Amino acid sequence: MSCLTSSSRCCASFLKIVKPNHRVLSSLPFRFLCLRRSSSSAVKFSGIGARKWLNTLQSIPPPGQAIGSVRHYSGYDTSDDLIEIPDDLREDLIEYARKIAPQHASLVEWSETVLSQESLPVRQRREFNRALHFLGEVVDLLEKYDQAHAHIVELTEMLTEPDLAAIARKEIVECKNAIHETTNELAAQLFPREEIEDRGCVLEVRSGIGGGEATLFAQELFTMYENFVKSKGGSFQITSLSYSSEGGYKEATALIAGRDIFGAIRFESGVHRVQRVPKTETSGRRHTSTAAVCILPEPTEVDVAVEQRDLRVETFKASGAGGQHVNTTESGVRITHIPTGIAIRSEVSRTQKANRELAMKLLLAKMYDIESTKVAKDGLDQRKSIIGKLDYSEKVRTFYFIGDQVMDHRFDLKVPGLGSIMNNAAETGAFFNKVKAAAKVKGMRNAVAGGAVPDYITSFKPKNTSKDDT
């Protein structure tokens, strides 16, 4: 597929911003041809995804407005992935990068073989370009890191010269700051955002130990996630609600869609514990209750396939208040996946067709969660470990209302201001970012300690790459 644009804004943006960056151009899944370079410049694009990318380019702000990073237009924006790397991890991270960097030369060598395969699926082609891009950035950043260190050595020798000492000290500070920033950027390229983070997801919250107080806590958690998603401009579609006599939620499920929302809340899965004095408590005793949160990414069609013969579909009269379709027609749908026993129920929509579609989305998400572990039984047990016993010992997070703080036990992370975190969407997002950063640092430590090459780098080697092959 090809397309042609003569938009002055599009051409100017392309020629001035994207064209000078060879890394970006090498990662694009299509070709371009600059027909003219003037006020009426035209650029011809051809290849898969060309028109979609062109539409993105044409939305670049006019001159004078912020245009962001070049990587944004190549689909590899890492600006949101930059985190502060702990000092004790920096040297190990550099050594890890030096072990990974040679893989870039291998990918370049394989690129002609890989990209020339007409049968190569578009998704794999895109993932190969992605790996090639990030490793190229790693090579460049290591070079920048080494140059800064070499410059510091030269500047240190100048400290003995009175006329140059002041200038040398200033430049040494600048070089150290550059090394600090380069290491942060290097971490973002070594451990980039996963494509799955931009997908929709399924949120499931269930009350656990604590009776009515647990259902109230589950409702507060569910509302916190809803407010956060909507504040980010995302979609929050409630698919099922089960109330308790106290007005809380025994169980609540929602479909969530929006850019980077799953990436923000993906580490919320687990048992959440709350310690507080309930409003209904007259003697002032502190109660401990739990609720389980399960976040499942919404799969694409190629991620999971479910045979129709493995499904049992049942209809029932939906419960709830009002409407001619409630309590009178069988608009509610229950879909059971027979091999695993997973049953999904949906009755929030007025029509059976809509409820069936919602139930199927939820089922596919849970099936994807199982298949991503590669063994169905292990995947089902993993989900049951989150939603199952809901014991105090299984907690991943505790909300201390008396101390006005939240503690994530997985990362030993304590954050004050519990009330703001639960009731202010901006503070909720800031807390999620801290959890995400802590999880990323923990993942980096594990990767550096193990020394393994990331899967997104090693999964593209062609089957026939030796010189003897014909």
Side-chain angles (χ1 to χ4, degrees):
M1 180 179 183
S2 64
C3 53
L4 178 69
T5 179
S6 59
S7 165
S8 59
R9 179 187 298 179
C10 175
C11 293
S13 298
F14 178 79
L15 295 174
K16 294 180 181 179
I17 301 170
V18 182
K19 191 172 183 296
N21 191 305
H22 68 283
R23 295 290 182 195
V24 172
L25 295 179
S26 65
S27 67
L28 295 177
F30 50 84
R31 297 178 180 178
F32 68 93
L33 176 64
C34 298
L35 302 181
R36 292 188 299 275
R37 289 195 181 190
S38 65
S39 58
S40 59
S41 296
V43 181
K44 181 180 180 181
F45 298 86
S46 61
I48 298 172
R51 185 170 297 280
K52 182 178 180 181
W53 192 88
L54 177 59
N55 291 336
T56 301
L57 188 63
Q58 288 176 321
S59 65
I60 295 175
Q65 293 187 17
I67 58 176
S69 168
V70 165
R71 297 191 190 103
H72 171 77
Y73 304 111
S74 68
Y76 305 128
D77 184 12
T78 57
S79 58
D80 293 336
D81 299 331
L82 292 177
I83 61 174
E84 187 64 25
I85 307 301
D87 292 337
D88 65 320
L89 181 59
R90 290 180 177 274
E91 290 187 9
D92 292 337
L93 194 65
I94 295 297
E95 292 304 313
Y96 177 76
R98 295 193 191 282
K99 294 178 181 178
I100 301 298
Q103 294 290 330
H104 179 255
S106 299
L107 285 184
V108 172
E109 181 181 349
W110 302 334
S111 61
E112 183 176 350
T113 304
V114 172
L115 299 179
S116 64
Q117 297 175 6
E118 296 182 359
S119 60
L120 187 68
V122 175
R123 183 178 180 181
Q124 291 186 17
R125 189 182 300 272
R126 184 174 64 248
E127 289 175 350
F128 180 88
N129 284 331
R130 182 172 181 265
L132 189 64
H133 167 84
F134 283 122
L135 276 176
E137 292 291 334
V138 168
V139 171
D140 288 348
L141 288 169
L142 280 176
E143 183 179 350
K144 181 179 178 181
Y145 178 91
D146 290 338
Q147 288 175 350
H149 264 290
H151 194 39
I152 288 178
V153 173
E154 295 176 357
L155 291 170
T156 303
E157 296 176 355
M158 295 170 57
L159 293 176
T160 57
E161 302 180 26
D163 296 339
L164 301 176
I167 298 176
R169 291 191 190 95
K170 182 179 178 180
E171 292 193 16
I172 287 175
V173 172
E174 292 176 354
C175 286
K176 289 183 177 179
N177 290 337
I179 289 173
H180 187 90
E181 294 175 1
T182 300
T183 308
N184 290 342
E185 292 178 14
L186 191 60
Q189 300 297 336
L190 284 170
F191 305 94
R193 169 207 300 271
E194 300 177 54
E195 286 189 321
I196 197 175
E197 294 190 22
D198 287 328
R199 291 189 187 180
C201 60
V202 176
L203 165 66
E204 183 178 347
V205 179
R206 290 191 180 186
S207 62
I209 298 173
E213 169 64 10
T215 66
L216 294 173
F217 178 51
Q219 183 185 37
E220 292 175 54
L221 287 176
F222 194 76
T223 302
M224 178 184 72
Y225 294 125
E226 181 179 10
N227 292 338
F228 169 73
V229 170
K230 291 181 177 179
S231 73
K232 298 285 286 184
S235 166
F236 193 92
Q237 184 180 9
I238 298 175
T239 58
S240 67
L241 285 177
S242 177
Y243 292 93
S244 68
S245 57
E246 291 81 5
Y249 294 162
K250 291 181 181 179
E251 178 183 348
T253 308
L255 283 174
I256 298 174
R259 176 172 171 76
D260 199 32
I261 292 179
F262 173 67
I265 65 176
R266 64 183 302 186
F267 300 105
E268 293 299 294
S269 291
V271 175
H272 296 232
R273 184 179 70 167
V274 60
Q275 290 185 348
R276 64 182 174 187
V277 178
K279 296 179 181 178
T280 56
E281 176 59 54
T282 57
S283 60
R285 291 185 304 167
R286 183 178 64 181
H287 287 224
T288 301
S289 307
T290 64
V293 176
C294 189
I295 309 286
L296 303 175
E298 187 176 347
T300 63
E301 294 179 1
V302 297
D303 287 328
V304 59
V306 178
E307 298 290 342
Q308 287 296 322
R309 63 175 178 268
D310 292 335
L311 301 179
R312 182 172 63 248
V313 181
E314 303 168 278
T315 60
F316 56 90
K317 292 181 181 180
S319 60
Q324 61 179 344
H325 295 278
V326 178
N327 297 317
T328 58
T329 62
E330 293 193 347
S331 58
V333 175
R334 182 188 299 107
I335 301 179
T336 303
H337 185 249
I338 299 172
T340 60
I342 294 179
I344 302 298
R345 174 189 178 110
S346 178
E347 55 181 314
V348 293
S349 183
R350 291 167 59 90
T351 66
Q352 186 182 115
K353 180 181 178 181
N355 281 322
R356 183 185 178 108
E357 291 175 354
L358 288 175
M360 199 63 196
K361 282 186 178 181
L362 295 172
L363 177 64
L364 289 175
K366 293 185 179 181
M367 290 302 301
Y368 174 74
D369 183 51
I370 292 174
E371 290 193 11
S372 64
T373 63
K374 300 182 180 177
V375 180
K377 182 178 181 301
D378 292 342
L380 189 59
D381 290 344
Q382 180 182 10
R383 181 178 175 276
K384 285 182 178 178
S385 71
I386 297 175
I387 303 297
K389 294 184 294 183
L390 301 180
D391 196 0
Y392 298 138
S393 60
E394 299 175 339
K395 64 184 183 296
V396 298
R397 186 175 301 159
T398 299
F399 294 77
Y400 296 103
F401 273 75
I402 296 178
D404 190 37
Q405 69 175 2
V406 182
M407 179 172 184
D408 197 298
H409 303 281
R410 296 165 296 183
F411 315 115
D412 196 25
L413 177 66
K414 294 181 180 179
V415 181
L418 181 150
S420 297
I421 291 173
M422 295 199 71
N423 301 310
N424 184 306
E427 293 297 326
T428 303
F431 174 72
F432 289 161
N433 287 339
K434 291 178 181 178
V435 173
K436 184 178 179 179
K440 193 164 189 176
V441 169
K442 185 176 181 179
M444 290 179 189
R445 291 189 186 277
N446 293 339
V448 169
V453 178
D455 291 339
Y456 75 88
I457 294 176
T458 60
S459 59
F460 304 103
K461 185 175 181 179
K463 293 181 180 180
N464 299 320
T465 56
S466 65
K467 295 181 179 179
D468 297 333
D469 293 336
T470 57

